[in-house]
Structures are given as C-alpha cells and as structure tokens.
C-alpha cells in the first residue's frame, strides 16, 4: 500500500467519526438562517458585525497557537510536522486586523445607510464572549498538552467551515452588504481550500504514525465544532437583541 493510500485510510477513519458532529452544526437554525436566500438584511448585517467584532478574540492568537503546537511537536520528535506548522502559522498572521476593519466598516454602513447605530468601539473593547473563552481555552490546553498535534484537528474543522458554509454566507454578504465589510470571510473562503487540504494531509500523516491518537483527534475536533457553533449562536442572539433595540422587524 502506498504512503498516500495509507494517509487516506487514516483520514477516512477520522472522517467516519466526525461526520455526525459536522452534520449537527450544519442543521443548526443559525447556519440555516445565515445561508438562506431570504435572510433579513439588518439581522444578517448585525450578525456579521458581532461575528467580526467578537471574532477578534478567536483569531488574535491563531498564529501563536499553531506555532506553539509546532514547537511542541518538534520537542516530541516530530520534526517534519513542526516545520510544516511553523510555515502554516505565518500564513495566519494579522487576520484579526481584518475582522476589526470589517466591524468598523459594518458599523459605519449600518449607521449611515440603515439607521442602526452600534457602538463598535464598545464591542471591540468588550471581553471575549462565553463561547470565545471556551474556544480559547481549548487551544491553550491542546497546544500546551501532551498531544499538540491535535491542533491539526481544530484547524481542519474550523478552516473547513470556510469551504462548506462560507461560500453561501459569502453570497448573502455580496447580495446584502457593501464591498469592504466582509473581507475576512471573502479571503478565508478562498484561502481555506488550500489550508484544509494542508490540515487533512498533516492529520493523516500523524494518524498513520500514531493511530492511537485517533480518539483524541476526534474529541478535540468535536469540542472545536461545539465551541464554534456556540459562537455563531451567541452572535446571532446578540444581533437579534441589537435589532430589537433598534426597532427592527426581528
């Protein structure tokens, strides 16, 4: 059996165990609403504003998390993976700044065009949401733990969201919002195709060498998806509250 075939088999065992978790997220009411053609403009915009502003906490340390995982993998004798993760970490630098810019642009547009005023500075200065804290804690625990390669499972699942739900949410962004208010999403829909392939390949390599890591990979991936689904839901709820305060229809 070729190395590529062995990698594929290892990844398939992982995929078989995580598919149901992915399906639960896809069937959530928030994802359905965000990808629906009839999505309300103001509610969608307010969700994107909340997602961007609160998402800064979710993205600010991604470069460090991946780099730390790489360093720990190197310490544990996985030199090739350490090198690969080091390069991947650099590709994530500065993405939180895109979310800040999107949040400010959305706030300005909502005020000027939709008559909905949101204090974006207050949102950006606010502490992480509960779901964000859980997500951050997961990264910190994994990257500093005894199985740092499980960071690959987090990256695979979260970056893959950009290739599954991302395109439909991007369509609604292009239909409902002005250009320049969803740059983070637009870039990740494009870039994360390659990032997902990288993560899947590296994860397969780890599972080929360490098949006993499969349960931890699946557990970590499940927790990552649960945290991210909770974040989407929390932003949706807060957007609804914003719209009601503004006297909107939702």
């Amino acid at each position: 059996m070729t190395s590529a075939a062995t990698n594929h088999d290892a990844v398939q065992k992982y995929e078989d165990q995580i598919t149901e978790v992915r399906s639960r997220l896809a069937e959530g009411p928030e994802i359905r609403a965000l990808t629906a053609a009839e999505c309300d403009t103001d509610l969608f915009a307010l969700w994107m504003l909340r997602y961007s502003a609160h998402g800064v906490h979710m993205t600010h340390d991604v470069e460090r998390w991946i780099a730390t995982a790489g360093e720990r993998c190197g310490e544990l004798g996985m030199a090739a993976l350490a090198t690969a993760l080091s390069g991947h970490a650099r590709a994530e630098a500065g993405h939180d700044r895109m979310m800040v810019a999107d949040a400010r642009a959305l706030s300005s547009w909502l005020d000027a065009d939709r008559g909905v005023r949101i204090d974006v500075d207050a949102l950006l200065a606010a502490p992480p949401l509960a779901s964000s804290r859980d997500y951050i804690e997961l990264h910190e625990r994994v990257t500093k733990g005894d199985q740092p390669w499980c960071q690959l499972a987090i990256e695979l699942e979260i970056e893959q969201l950009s290739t599954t739900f991302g395109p439909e949410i991007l369509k609604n962004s292009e239909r409902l919002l002005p250009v320049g208010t969803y740059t983070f999403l637009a870039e990740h829909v494009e870039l994360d195709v390659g990032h997902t392939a990288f993560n899947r390949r590296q994860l397969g390599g780890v599972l080929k060498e360490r098949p006993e890591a499969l349960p931890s990979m699946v557990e970590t991936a499940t927790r990552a998806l649960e945290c991210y689904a909770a974040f989407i839901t929390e932003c949706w709820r807060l957007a609804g509250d914003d719209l009601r305060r503004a006297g909107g229809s939702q």
Side-chain angles (χ1 to χ4, degrees), residues 185-211:
L185 175 63
E187 178 161 317
H188 282 72
V189 166
E190 180 178 350
L191 292 181
D192 283 350
V193 173
H195 289 178
T196 297
F198 166 86
N199 290 317
R200 183 174 284 110
R201 184 169 61 253
Q202 298 299 327
L203 184 144
V206 171
L207 291 178
K208 183 180 70 173
E209 293 183 18
R210 300 171 182 257

mmCIF file of all heavy atoms in Angstrom, residues 185-211:
data_model
loop_
_atom_site.group_PDB
_atom_site.id
_atom_site.type_symbol
_atom_site.label_atom_id
_atom_site.label_comp_id
_atom_site.label_asym_id
_atom_site.label_seq_id
_atom_site.Cartn_x
_atom_site.Cartn_y
_atom_site.Cartn_z
ATOM 1 N N LEU A 185 -14.168 37.115 5.701
ATOM 2 C CA LEU A 185 -14.878 35.971 5.140
ATOM 3 C C LEU A 185 -14.453 35.710 3.701
ATOM 4 O O LEU A 185 -14.170 34.567 3.328
ATOM 5 C CB LEU A 185 -16.387 36.215 5.202
ATOM 6 C CG LEU A 185 -17.261 35.152 4.536
ATOM 7 C CD1 LEU A 185 -17.102 33.808 5.239
ATOM 8 C CD2 LEU A 185 -18.727 35.590 4.545
ATOM 9 N N ALA A 186 -14.404 36.762 2.893
ATOM 10 C CA ALA A 186 -14.063 36.589 1.475
ATOM 11 C C ALA A 186 -12.681 35.967 1.309
ATOM 12 O O ALA A 186 -12.482 35.064 0.488
ATOM 13 C CB ALA A 186 -14.127 37.939 0.762
ATOM 14 N N GLU A 187 -11.722 36.432 2.093
ATOM 15 C CA GLU A 187 -10.370 35.887 1.977
ATOM 16 C C GLU A 187 -10.310 34.438 2.433
ATOM 17 O O GLU A 187 -9.642 33.613 1.818
ATOM 18 C CB GLU A 187 -9.378 36.728 2.781
ATOM 19 C CG GLU A 187 -7.961 36.172 2.721
ATOM 20 C CD GLU A 187 -6.893 37.178 3.089
ATOM 21 O OE1 GLU A 187 -6.980 38.342 2.644
ATOM 22 O OE2 GLU A 187 -5.970 36.798 3.819
ATOM 23 N N HIS A 188 -11.026 34.112 3.502
ATOM 24 C CA HIS A 188 -10.941 32.753 4.027
ATOM 25 C C HIS A 188 -11.693 31.748 3.164
ATOM 26 O O HIS A 188 -11.295 30.573 3.095
ATOM 27 C CB HIS A 188 -11.413 32.726 5.475
ATOM 28 C CG HIS A 188 -10.371 33.236 6.419
ATOM 29 N ND1 HIS A 188 -10.041 34.572 6.498
ATOM 30 C CD2 HIS A 188 -9.542 32.605 7.283
ATOM 31 C CE1 HIS A 188 -9.077 34.735 7.374
ATOM 32 N NE2 HIS A 188 -8.749 33.558 7.863
ATOM 33 N N VAL A 189 -12.739 32.156 2.511
ATOM 34 C CA VAL A 189 -13.398 31.253 1.564
ATOM 35 C C VAL A 189 -12.425 30.837 0.473
ATOM 36 O O VAL A 189 -12.412 29.677 0.035
ATOM 37 C CB VAL A 189 -14.648 31.922 0.954
ATOM 38 C CG1 VAL A 189 -15.149 31.155 -0.266
ATOM 39 C CG2 VAL A 189 -15.756 32.022 1.999
ATOM 40 N N GLU A 190 -11.569 31.761 0.065
ATOM 41 C CA GLU A 190 -10.587 31.455 -0.974
ATOM 42 C C GLU A 190 -9.382 30.696 -0.420
ATOM 43 O O GLU A 190 -8.989 29.651 -0.948
ATOM 44 C CB GLU A 190 -10.113 32.757 -1.625
ATOM 45 C CG GLU A 190 -9.082 32.550 -2.724
ATOM 46 C CD GLU A 190 -8.657 33.851 -3.378
ATOM 47 O OE1 GLU A 190 -9.296 34.884 -3.116
ATOM 48 O OE2 GLU A 190 -7.692 33.820 -4.157
ATOM 49 N N LEU A 191 -8.798 31.189 0.662
ATOM 50 C CA LEU A 191 -7.555 30.614 1.170
ATOM 51 C C LEU A 191 -7.739 29.272 1.852
ATOM 52 O O LEU A 191 -6.837 28.418 1.804
ATOM 53 C CB LEU A 191 -6.898 31.585 2.156
ATOM 54 C CG LEU A 191 -6.346 32.892 1.612
ATOM 55 C CD1 LEU A 191 -5.712 33.691 2.741
ATOM 56 C CD2 LEU A 191 -5.314 32.628 0.515
ATOM 57 N N ASP A 192 -8.873 29.065 2.486
ATOM 58 C CA ASP A 192 -9.011 27.883 3.333
ATOM 59 C C ASP A 192 -9.226 26.595 2.552
ATOM 60 O O ASP A 192 -9.205 25.502 3.141
ATOM 61 C CB ASP A 192 -10.120 28.089 4.368
ATOM 62 C CG ASP A 192 -9.654 28.973 5.514
ATOM 63 O OD1 ASP A 192 -8.446 29.253 5.585
ATOM 64 O OD2 ASP A 192 -10.487 29.399 6.329
ATOM 65 N N VAL A 193 -9.411 26.687 1.249
ATOM 66 C CA VAL A 193 -9.402 25.469 0.432
ATOM 67 C C VAL A 193 -8.025 24.812 0.534
ATOM 68 O O VAL A 193 -7.896 23.623 0.822
ATOM 69 C CB VAL A 193 -9.752 25.780 -1.036
ATOM 70 C CG1 VAL A 193 -9.572 24.536 -1.909
ATOM 71 C CG2 VAL A 193 -11.180 26.308 -1.142
ATOM 72 N N GLY A 194 -6.994 25.630 0.340
ATOM 73 C CA GLY A 194 -5.634 25.124 0.454
ATOM 74 C C GLY A 194 -5.275 24.751 1.877
ATOM 75 O O GLY A 194 -4.614 23.733 2.121
ATOM 76 N N HIS A 195 -5.719 25.562 2.840
ATOM 77 C CA HIS A 195 -5.414 25.282 4.243
ATOM 78 C C HIS A 195 -6.063 23.978 4.699
ATOM 79 O O HIS A 195 -5.470 23.208 5.460
ATOM 80 C CB HIS A 195 -5.899 26.433 5.125
ATOM 81 C CG HIS A 195 -5.090 27.679 4.968
ATOM 82 N ND1 HIS A 195 -5.384 28.850 5.642
ATOM 83 C CD2 HIS A 195 -3.981 27.945 4.235
ATOM 84 C CE1 HIS A 195 -4.501 29.781 5.311
ATOM 85 N NE2 HIS A 195 -3.646 29.251 4.457
ATOM 86 N N THR A 196 -7.298 23.725 4.220
ATOM 87 C CA THR A 196 -7.981 22.486 4.583
ATOM 88 C C THR A 196 -7.241 21.281 4.030
ATOM 89 O O THR A 196 -7.088 20.262 4.723
ATOM 90 C CB THR A 196 -9.430 22.517 4.073
ATOM 91 O OG1 THR A 196 -10.139 23.583 4.727
ATOM 92 C CG2 THR A 196 -10.142 21.206 4.355
ATOM 93 N N ALA A 197 -6.776 21.380 2.803
ATOM 94 C CA ALA A 197 -6.008 20.278 2.213
ATOM 95 C C ALA A 197 -4.723 20.039 3.001
ATOM 96 O O ALA A 197 -4.333 18.883 3.252
ATOM 97 C CB ALA A 197 -5.691 20.583 0.752
ATOM 98 N N PHE A 198 -4.062 21.120 3.406
ATOM 99 C CA PHE A 198 -2.842 21.004 4.221
ATOM 100 C C PHE A 198 -3.146 20.303 5.536
ATOM 101 O O PHE A 198 -2.452 19.354 5.938
ATOM 102 C CB PHE A 198 -2.265 22.398 4.486
ATOM 103 C CG PHE A 198 -1.219 22.439 5.570
ATOM 104 C CD1 PHE A 198 0.112 22.180 5.281
ATOM 105 C CD2 PHE A 198 -1.562 22.740 6.895
ATOM 106 C CE1 PHE A 198 1.083 22.202 6.287
ATOM 107 C CE2 PHE A 198 -0.603 22.770 7.896
ATOM 108 C CZ PHE A 198 0.720 22.502 7.596
ATOM 109 N N ASN A 199 -4.177 20.752 6.236
ATOM 110 C CA ASN A 199 -4.513 20.175 7.536
ATOM 111 C C ASN A 199 -4.897 18.707 7.418
ATOM 112 O O ASN A 199 -4.516 17.887 8.264
ATOM 113 C CB ASN A 199 -5.649 20.970 8.187
ATOM 114 C CG ASN A 199 -5.223 22.350 8.631
ATOM 115 O OD1 ASN A 199 -4.153 22.522 9.198
ATOM 116 N ND2 ASN A 199 -6.047 23.351 8.357
ATOM 117 N N ARG A 200 -5.656 18.365 6.383
ATOM 118 C CA ARG A 200 -6.060 16.972 6.199
ATOM 119 C C ARG A 200 -4.840 16.091 5.924
ATOM 120 O O ARG A 200 -4.729 14.983 6.457
ATOM 121 C CB ARG A 200 -7.075 16.862 5.063
ATOM 122 C CG ARG A 200 -7.599 15.439 4.874
ATOM 123 C CD ARG A 200 -8.697 15.375 3.845
ATOM 124 N NE ARG A 200 -9.955 15.882 4.381
ATOM 125 C CZ ARG A 200 -10.531 17.020 4.000
ATOM 126 N NH1 ARG A 200 -9.966 17.779 3.086
ATOM 127 N NH2 ARG A 200 -11.660 17.405 4.539
ATOM 128 N N ARG A 201 -3.948 16.603 5.115
ATOM 129 C CA ARG A 201 -2.728 15.836 4.794
ATOM 130 C C ARG A 201 -1.866 15.628 6.031
ATOM 131 O O ARG A 201 -1.383 14.514 6.292
ATOM 132 C CB ARG A 201 -1.942 16.570 3.707
ATOM 133 C CG ARG A 201 -0.713 15.835 3.205
ATOM 134 C CD ARG A 201 -0.148 16.507 1.961
ATOM 135 N NE ARG A 201 0.263 17.889 2.198
ATOM 136 C CZ ARG A 201 -0.384 18.966 1.758
ATOM 137 N NH1 ARG A 201 -1.503 18.830 1.060
ATOM 138 N NH2 ARG A 201 0.076 20.178 2.009
ATOM 139 N N GLN A 202 -1.682 16.681 6.818
ATOM 140 C CA GLN A 202 -0.855 16.564 8.021
ATOM 141 C C GLN A 202 -1.529 15.678 9.068
ATOM 142 O O GLN A 202 -0.858 14.877 9.739
ATOM 143 C CB GLN A 202 -0.587 17.956 8.608
ATOM 144 C CG GLN A 202 0.182 18.899 7.690
ATOM 145 C CD GLN A 202 1.561 18.371 7.326
ATOM 146 O OE1 GLN A 202 2.200 17.691 8.123
ATOM 147 N NE2 GLN A 202 2.019 18.680 6.124
ATOM 148 N N LEU A 203 -2.829 15.802 9.216
ATOM 149 C CA LEU A 203 -3.552 14.971 10.164
ATOM 150 C C LEU A 203 -3.438 13.502 9.771
ATOM 151 O O LEU A 203 -3.238 12.626 10.628
ATOM 152 C CB LEU A 203 -5.020 15.411 10.227
ATOM 153 C CG LEU A 203 -5.919 14.710 11.243
ATOM 154 C CD1 LEU A 203 -6.934 15.706 11.816
ATOM 155 C CD2 LEU A 203 -6.669 13.546 10.602
ATOM 156 N N GLY A 204 -3.544 13.220 8.485
ATOM 157 C CA GLY A 204 -3.388 11.847 8.025
ATOM 158 C C GLY A 204 -2.011 11.297 8.327
ATOM 159 O O GLY A 204 -1.863 10.128 8.699
ATOM 160 N N GLY A 205 -0.998 12.142 8.178
ATOM 161 C CA GLY A 205 0.361 11.718 8.484
ATOM 162 C C GLY A 205 0.534 11.355 9.948
ATOM 163 O O GLY A 205 1.183 10.361 10.295
ATOM 164 N N VAL A 206 -0.051 12.162 10.832
ATOM 165 C CA VAL A 206 0.033 11.878 12.268
ATOM 166 C C VAL A 206 -0.680 10.567 12.596
ATOM 167 O O VAL A 206 -0.154 9.706 13.321
ATOM 168 C CB VAL A 206 -0.577 13.029 13.100
ATOM 169 C CG1 VAL A 206 -0.689 12.620 14.569
ATOM 170 C CG2 VAL A 206 0.255 14.287 12.965
ATOM 171 N N LEU A 207 -1.883 10.392 12.043
ATOM 172 C CA LEU A 207 -2.653 9.188 12.356
ATOM 173 C C LEU A 207 -2.026 7.932 11.760
ATOM 174 O O LEU A 207 -2.203 6.828 12.303
ATOM 175 C CB LEU A 207 -4.094 9.350 11.870
ATOM 176 C CG LEU A 207 -4.928 10.382 12.633
ATOM 177 C CD1 LEU A 207 -6.317 10.510 12.038
ATOM 178 C CD2 LEU A 207 -5.023 10.025 14.117
ATOM 179 N N LYS A 208 -1.296 8.084 10.664
ATOM 180 C CA LYS A 208 -0.589 6.927 10.099
ATOM 181 C C LYS A 208 0.515 6.476 11.049
ATOM 182 O O LYS A 208 0.710 5.273 11.270
ATOM 183 C CB LYS A 208 0.003 7.290 8.734
ATOM 184 C CG LYS A 208 0.702 6.118 8.049
ATOM 185 C CD LYS A 208 1.256 6.524 6.710
ATOM 186 C CE LYS A 208 2.448 7.470 6.872
ATOM 187 N NZ LYS A 208 3.111 7.746 5.570
ATOM 188 N N GLU A 209 1.223 7.464 11.618
ATOM 189 C CA GLU A 209 2.317 7.150 12.537
ATOM 190 C C GLU A 209 1.818 6.815 13.933
ATOM 191 O O GLU A 209 2.427 6.003 14.648
ATOM 192 C CB GLU A 209 3.281 8.336 12.630
ATOM 193 C CG GLU A 209 4.058 8.624 11.358
ATOM 194 C CD GLU A 209 5.041 9.769 11.545
ATOM 195 O OE1 GLU A 209 5.357 10.105 12.711
ATOM 196 O OE2 GLU A 209 5.476 10.335 10.527
ATOM 197 N N ARG A 210 0.718 7.455 14.339
ATOM 198 C CA ARG A 210 0.212 7.296 15.708
ATOM 199 C C ARG A 210 -1.292 7.010 15.651
ATOM 200 O O ARG A 210 -2.105 7.865 16.005
ATOM 201 C CB ARG A 210 0.472 8.570 16.520
ATOM 202 C CG ARG A 210 1.949 8.942 16.650
ATOM 203 C CD ARG A 210 2.104 10.325 17.267
ATOM 204 N NE ARG A 210 3.500 10.713 17.348
ATOM 205 C CZ ARG A 210 4.231 10.684 18.469
ATOM 206 N NH1 ARG A 210 3.672 10.276 19.590
ATOM 207 N NH2 ARG A 210 5.494 11.065 18.456
ATOM 208 N N PRO A 211 -1.685 5.830 15.215
ATOM 209 C CA PRO A 211 -3.123 5.524 15.118
ATOM 210 C C PRO A 211 -3.850 5.633 16.447
ATOM 211 O O PRO A 211 -5.063 5.872 16.487
ATOM 212 C CB PRO A 211 -3.140 4.086 14.579
ATOM 213 C CG PRO A 211 -1.774 3.539 14.838
ATOM 214 C CD PRO A 211 -0.844 4.706 14.765
#
